[in-house]
């Protein structure tokens, strides 16, 4: 069989008394990639393993291999792969991409199909792995911030005995939001009940993957080629539910803020923040934005105690704190101070300017014809837009300060550097690990690397010229590397930074000036505002004094170190060498954990924190556990698109009692986390200074 995805029902009907093989292959691979062994009715339907001469890779969005059983996109390579699409250079660059696992600069084809490796049977060999087709990558939708593989929903529905066929699509609801709409065909002689199917799916899937509506069809609409005709599927009929619109000004502000932060078109009075996709970290942003709009201090605890719009609006009016200054552009003094987080970064840099531990890189591969002059102009546009990317932090008798210089002083030449494919990784590493002297130079480094030995790119179709005539576009593969010191940016900043570079490049390549919404504030405005909001530590009523008082109490007597079993001794000086281990958790486990947390008015973050605390307690043999967690520090909407150092670290401390139940532990973790999330304005560095713990070069202070 080949052409359309093979269903388990078809295997049952056709494979009982004959050998049925499932072949897979896109035309671009001329033409078959894999083939299954003879399929057995009732067993998993696979597309087999790659045939001889074909390499198959299942990768995530960062082109990293995914573990067995985890869904990823299928990439294939081999001598039968086509060179590209005739006269369609942009599509060729999108689908035929560089193979990061090739030592000779070979390419691979991005199929757009979502698959997963299935583990071999007991005693099976690794080479016995087979691929299971899940669905098209372009058959994905984003619901409440989650990207969903629609094939996973289809599989859950077809597992019900009354369903012969199922297909799921993203459809607009009456509110305008995209929701999941499923279409099913009942099994022969049976009847499918939409409500029963919805409940069945809810037991196997997390809430954001459960269809909002299920439509029962008499038959599957097909194209003339015998494939599913998605365009012929009828519009789903949504059952109207009571929607209560906000009526008071505060209710409208609360609903609007939640809607904005979660990216939803409409939020009603009875909608629950956590049911809509909110979590602990997003709650801190909502609280900060409500406080900014209403001119008051809104404790994050209110969202957990009153998660619906109606209840939260009442609590905000009744239990909010005093007013705080509005974040807006401020008059610039002769000497602009550093923010409190920047101060710590500055001292660390003065201690060891050659260290790269606080360097933040973003590396982007650019495939296809590249207009280097346009990219150079785009980089200058971004430097003009973000003052933090053109700021020096010199020292004086009054201490360090921010000195903002014109973009023309620091814009890079961006002359492409020829690099072989084999040397590319080493060259990027050199750029990333080189230190900065933040007191003498703008701590931003930009380089453009051009891969040698790569076929010339085609000029954009609209130019009508040959590749050799394309100005500054003689290769199809470039790598843009940008490295920024932590004093000028944080990890979250890499999103706005990359987005602005790409937007500016597209405009400049068209001969236009980039048009973007002006930034509400610059980082210097934030630094001045932060000091105004925090106040003076000598004033007991100031925000900084109150929050430091909380942290002194919360972390008093904290053990200096958490000793975990290890296979080697802790080095005398931290090397920052480490690794990341990904452990897949099934959707069923995640859904059960979320439901358990929701039953106790907690978040998934809190439930996972409770589990981690128990694990660390058992491994260390101690009951006093502290872990650190980062928070974005961008509660105010004005900071969303700004490059700067805002991230903060919170210490979450929990005492584990051996005789308590998991529910009791979750309750105490919830209280501890809410207390910490309610005191995020004081930077971690200042908390460490106030606590003055036992210092060691071998570990991080206050958290492990």
């Amino acid at each position: 069989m080949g052409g359309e995805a093979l269903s388990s029902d078809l295997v049952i009907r056709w494979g009982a008394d004959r050998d049925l093989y499932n072949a897979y292959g896109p035309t671009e691979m001329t033409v078959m990639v894999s083939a299954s062994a003879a399929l057995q009715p009732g067993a998993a339907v696979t597309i087999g393993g790659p045939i001889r001469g074909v390499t198959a890779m299942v990768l995530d969005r960062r082109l990293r291999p995914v573990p067995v059983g985890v869904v990823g996109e299928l990439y294939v390579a081999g001598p039968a792969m086509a060179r590209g699409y005739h006269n369609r250079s942009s599509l060729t660059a999108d689908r035929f991409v560089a193979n990061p696992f090739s030592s000779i600069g070979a390419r691979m084809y991005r199929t757009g199909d979502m698959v997963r490796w299935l583990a071999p049977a007991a005693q099976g060999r690794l080479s016995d792995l087979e691929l299971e087709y899940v669905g098209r990558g372009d058959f994905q939708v984003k619901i409440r911030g989650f990207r969903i593989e629609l094939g996973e929903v289809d599989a859950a529905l077809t597992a019900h005995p009354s369903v012969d066929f199922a297909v799921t699509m993203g459809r607009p609801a009456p509110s305008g939001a995209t929701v999941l709409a499923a279409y099913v065909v009942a099994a022969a002689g049976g009847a499918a009940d939409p409500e029963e199917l919805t409940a069945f799916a809810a037991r196997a899937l997390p809430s954001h993957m459960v269809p909002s509506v299920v439509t029962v069809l008499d038959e599957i609409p097909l194209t003339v080629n015998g494939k599913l005709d998605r365009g012929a599927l009828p519009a789903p009929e949504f059952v109207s539910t009571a929607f209560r619109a906000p009526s008071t000004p505060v209710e409208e502000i609360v609903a609007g803020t939640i809607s904005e932060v979660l990216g939803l078109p409409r939020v009603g009075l009875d909608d629950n923040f956590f049911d809509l996709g909110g979590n602990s970290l997003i709650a801190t942003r909502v609280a900060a934005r409500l406080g900014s709009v209403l001119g008051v201090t809104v404790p994050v605890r209110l969202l957990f105690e009153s998660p619906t719009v109606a209840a939260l609006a009442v609590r905000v009016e009744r239990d909010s704190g005093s007013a705080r200054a509005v974040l807006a552009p401020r008059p610039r003094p002769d000497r602009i101070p550093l923010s409190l987080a920047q101060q710590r970064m500055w001292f660390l840099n003065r201690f060891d300017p050659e260290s790269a531990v606080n360097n933040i890189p973003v590396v982007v591969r650019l495939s296809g014809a590249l207009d280097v002059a346009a990219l150079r102009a785009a980089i200058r546009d971004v430097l003009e837009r973000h003052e933090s990317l053109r700021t020096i932090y010199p020292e004086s008798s009054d201490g360090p300060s921010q000195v903002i210089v014109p973009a023309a002083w620091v814009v890079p030449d961006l002359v492409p550097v020829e690099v072989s494919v084999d040397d590319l990784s080493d060259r990027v590493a050199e750029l990333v690990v080189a230190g900065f002297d933040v007191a003498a130079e703008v701590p931003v480094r930009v380089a453009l690397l051009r891969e040698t030995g790569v076929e010339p790119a085609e000029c954009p179709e609209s130019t009508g010229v040959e590749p050799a005539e394309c100005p500054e576009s003689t290769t199809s593969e470039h790598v843009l590397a940008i490295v920024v010191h932590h004093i000028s940016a944080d990890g979250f900043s890499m999103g706005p930074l990359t987005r602005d570079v790409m937007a500016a490049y597209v405009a400049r390549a068209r001969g236009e000036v980039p048009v973007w919404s002006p930034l509400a504030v610059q980082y210097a405005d934030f630094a001045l505002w932060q000091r105004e909001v925090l106040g003076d530590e000598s004033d007991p009523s100031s925000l900084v004094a109150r929050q430091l008082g909380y942290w002194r109490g919360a972390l008093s007597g904290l053990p200096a170190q958490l000793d975990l079993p290890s296979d080697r001794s802790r080095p005398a000086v931290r090397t920052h060498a480490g690794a990341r281990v990904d452990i897949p958790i099934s959707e069923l486990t995640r859904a059960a954990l979320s439901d358990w947390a929701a039953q106790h008015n907690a978040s998934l973050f809190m439930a996972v924190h409770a589990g981690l605390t128990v694990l660390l307690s058992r491994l260390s043999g101690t009951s006093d556990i502290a872990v650190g967690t980062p928070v974005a520090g961008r509660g105010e909407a004005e900071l969303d698109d700004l490059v700067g150092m805002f991230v903060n670290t919170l210490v979450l401390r929990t005492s584990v009692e051996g005789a308590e139940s998991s529910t009791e532990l979750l309750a105490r973790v919830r209280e501890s986390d809410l207390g910490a999330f309610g005191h995020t304005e004081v930077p971690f560095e200042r908390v460490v200074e106030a606590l003055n713990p036992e210092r060691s070069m071998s570990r991080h202070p206050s958290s492990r």
Side-chain angles (χ1 to χ4, degrees):
M1 294 293 295
E4 186 65 87
L6 186 60
S7 68
S8 57
D9 177 69
L10 200 57
V11 174
I12 293 173
R13 283 189 285 173
W14 283 81
D17 53 359
R18 58 176 63 86
D19 289 338
L20 182 63
Y21 300 87
N22 193 17
Y24 165 85
T27 303
E28 291 83 353
M29 286 297 294
T30 333
V31 69
M32 191 162 68
V33 166
S34 67
S36 72
L39 298 174
Q40 300 300 317
V45 178
T46 77
I47 57 174
I51 63 175
R52 182 179 301 175
V54 172
T55 300
M57 296 159 280
V58 184
L59 310 177
D60 64 13
R61 289 185 179 82
R62 297 184 180 180
L63 299 184
R64 299 173 302 187
V66 301
V68 173
V70 175
V71 175
E73 186 170 2
L74 178 60
Y75 290 77
V76 291
M81 184 175 67
R83 296 187 64 185
Y85 301 104
H86 182 60
N87 286 337
R88 301 187 70 184
S89 59
S90 60
L91 183 59
T92 297
D94 179 61
R95 288 295 177 181
F96 294 86
V97 298
N99 185 346
F101 310 103
S102 171
S103 60
I104 59 173
R107 297 183 304 161
M108 57 184 180
Y109 174 65
R110 176 187 171 204
T111 68
D113 290 325
M114 308 306 292
V115 300
R116 60 180 153 216
W117 291 111
L118 294 183
Q123 309 302 320
R125 299 168 300 174
L126 188 62
S127 58
D128 295 332
L129 287 171
E130 292 189 302
L131 292 165
E132 180 185 28
Y133 175 81
V134 175
R136 284 291 300 168
D138 42 15
F139 294 158
Q140 294 181 328
V141 295
K142 203 168 187 180
I143 304 293
R144 292 178 4 212
F146 296 94
R147 190 169 295 280
I148 295 172
E149 307 289 350
L150 296 178
E152 298 275 6
V153 185
D154 299 342
L157 291 170
T158 53
H160 194 280
S162 71
V163 176
D164 179 61
F165 169 85
V167 62
T168 310
M169 297 181 64
R171 292 282 201 176
S175 65
T178 299
V179 298
L180 295 180
Y183 299 86
V184 301
V185 175
D193 182 342
E195 291 187 6
E196 180 182 342
L197 292 176
T198 301
F200 179 78
R203 291 193 290 271
L205 299 170
S207 59
H208 62 274
M209 294 181 68
V210 176
S212 297
V213 59
V214 176
T215 302
V216 179
L217 303 175
D218 294 330
E219 58 182 6
I220 307 169
L222 302 175
T223 66
V224 292
N225 296 323
K227 295 188 176 184
L228 172 66
D229 187 353
R230 294 175 182 267
L233 292 171
E237 296 183 6
F238 293 93
V239 178
S240 299
T241 57
F243 174 83
R244 291 202 301 148
S247 57
T248 71
V250 174
E251 289 175 349
E252 291 176 352
I253 290 172
V254 170
T257 300
I258 292 175
S259 171
E260 176 189 4
V261 173
L262 295 181
L264 301 174
R266 187 176 73 166
V267 173
L269 279 178
D270 301 311
D271 288 331
N272 185 296
F273 169 72
F274 296 101
D275 290 345
L276 294 176
N279 58 39
S280 305
L281 301 180
I282 297 176
T284 63
R285 296 175 59 198
V286 171
R289 296 199 180 183
L290 285 175
S292 177
V293 174
L294 296 171
V296 296
T297 301
V298 178
V300 69
R301 173 183 298 274
L302 297 188
L303 275 90
F304 286 84
E305 297 175 348
S306 306
T308 66
V309 170
L312 182 57
V314 173
R315 293 294 301 279
V316 165
E317 288 190 278
R318 188 183 69 195
D319 300 332
S320 295
S322 57
R324 59 190 291 169
V326 175
L327 177 56
R330 278 163 163 66
R332 301 290 177 85
D334 293 335
R335 178 182 172 277
I336 303 174
L338 275 59
S339 70
L340 297 186
Q342 281 184 322
Q343 285 186 178
R344 176 68 174 171
M345 289 296 159
W346 188 88
F347 283 114
L348 290 174
N349 180 260
R350 305 318 303 143
F351 179 74
D352 186 7
E354 300 302 317
S355 173
V357 69
N358 286 313
N359 286 2
I360 306 176
V362 57
V363 181
V364 182
R365 176 174 290 277
L366 306 173
S367 299
L370 178 68
D371 187 336
V372 177
L375 182 59
R376 186 182 301 120
I379 295 295
R380 175 166 181 164
D381 291 330
V382 175
L383 293 175
E384 289 276 10
R385 178 169 170 80
H386 297 279
E387 290 182 353
S388 58
L389 298 177
R390 47 188 174 91
T391 299
I392 304 173
Y393 308 90
E395 183 177 10
S396 69
S397 57
D398 296 322
S401 62
Q402 300 186 53
V403 175
I404 302 162
V405 301
W409 292 12
V410 295
V411 64
D413 292 334
L414 215 63
V415 176
V417 178
E418 302 283 348
V419 180
S420 68
V421 174
D422 292 339
D423 295 336
L424 180 61
S425 295
D426 291 339
R427 185 70 182 94
V428 171
E430 290 175 8
L431 294 167
V432 173
V433 302
F436 289 106
D437 183 352
V438 303
E441 61 180 326
V442 170
V444 178
R445 186 179 299 122
V446 184
L448 181 64
L449 308 179
R450 174 182 289 160
E451 286 189 1
T452 57
V454 181
E455 294 182 9
E458 298 180 23
C459 290
E461 299 172 21
S462 60
T463 61
V465 299
E466 296 299 318
E469 301 174 10
C470 290
E472 296 191 86
S473 302
T474 57
T475 182
S476 61
E477 295 295 328
H478 290 79
V479 172
L480 176 66
I482 305 175
V483 186
V484 188
H485 192 275
H486 214 338
I487 196 171
S488 292
D490 53 23
F492 188 92
S493 298
M494 297 301 102
L497 173 59
T498 306
R499 184 174 64 245
D500 285 352
V501 169
M502 294 300 103
Y505 172 73
V506 169
R508 289 295 183 180
R510 294 173 177 166
E512 303 170 357
V513 176
V515 178
W516 40 36
S517 300
L519 295 173
V521 294
Q522 291 288 344
Y523 191 83
D525 300 314
F526 165 79
L528 296 169
W529 171 84
Q530 181 190 55
R531 292 178 178 273
E532 180 182 346
V533 168
L534 290 178
D536 191 334
E537 288 184 31
S538 62
D539 178 6
S541 65
S542 68
L543 180 61
V544 65
R546 298 197 310 272
Q547 294 210 357
L548 283 177
Y550 166 83
W551 287 112
R552 288 190 181 99
L555 303 181
S556 175
L558 183 69
Q561 183 171 306
L562 182 68
D563 292 315
L564 298 173
S566 62
D567 58 353
R568 67 199 70 189
S569 59
R570 185 190 294 269
V573 178
R574 276 186 295 167
T575 64
H576 299 285
R580 166 176 167 166
V581 179
D582 292 328
I583 302 175
I585 297 176
S586 70
E587 288 287 0
L588 189 60
T589 300
R590 183 192 183 282
L593 197 58
S594 296
D595 290 342
W596 178 64
Q599 290 170 11
H600 301 285
N601 201 21
S603 67
L604 178 61
F605 176 94
M606 294 171 180
V608 173
H609 178 204
L612 176 62
T613 298
V614 171
L615 174 64
L616 294 178
S617 177
R618 290 180 177 177
L619 291 175
S620 64
T622 59
S623 60
D624 195 349
I625 306 298
V627 297
T629 186
V631 290
R634 295 172 180 257
E636 277 66 25
E638 293 81 1
L639 305 179
D640 280 355
D641 298 324
L642 191 61
V643 173
M645 170 53 174
F646 302 101
V647 69
N648 196 12
T649 299
L650 300 183
V651 179
L652 309 178
R653 185 182 187 183
T654 306
S655 177
V656 180
E657 306 295 339
E660 69 182 347
S661 67
S662 59
T663 301
E664 291 171 331
L665 174 63
L666 178 61
R668 287 196 298 103
V669 166
R670 175 183 180 277
E671 287 303 304
S672 173
D673 289 2
L674 285 177
F677 285 124
H679 297 83
T680 60
E681 281 82 1
V682 176
F684 173 74
E685 293 77 16
R686 183 65 194 96
V687 173
V688 173
E689 292 175 4
L691 293 173
N692 194 25
E694 176 186 336
R695 302 300 179 100
S696 172
M697 296 292 291
S698 67
R699 54 177 167 74
H700 193 272
S702 299
S703 65
R704 270 68 79 191

